[in-house]
Amino acid sequence: MTGTHVGCDTSHCGACTVHLDGQPVKSCTVLAVQADGCKVTTVEGLEQGGKLHAVQEGSSRSTGCNAASARRACS
């Protein structure tokens, strides 16, 4: 994974945001045992059929930080 990052290590920035069963969560606050059996989707998982999702496309052109890109894509 290259899109989801540990940013602040305090759950404030959202750089680690992923979808857990379709709901955005900050992965730094979820234990592996809590995600067991759940569908986890990272920002990379938004791509379908080799094409970037519109949110990924917009984020790739952004001049902002990667933390903000992951937060926008999965929020």
Side-chain angles (χ1 to χ4, degrees):
M1 290 188 304
T2 59
T4 306
H5 300 281
V6 173
C8 62
D9 208 22
T10 63
S11 80
H12 287 93
C13 75
C16 63
T17 302
V18 298
H19 283 177
L20 187 63
D21 284 340
Q23 295 298 314
V25 297
K26 294 175 183 171
S27 63
C28 67
T29 66
V30 178
L31 299 174
V33 70
Q34 293 173 294
D36 187 32
C38 297
K39 180 181 179 187
V40 179
T41 306
T42 66
V43 66
E44 291 89 356
L46 297 176
E47 175 186 348
Q48 291 186 347
K51 293 186 141 194
L52 293 179
H53 184 278
V55 174
Q56 292 172 304
E57 186 68 38
S59 292
S60 70
R61 288 180 279 175
S62 170
T63 58
C65 72
N66 287 335
S69 297
R71 183 175 58 247
R72 281 191 306 269
C74 286
S75 294

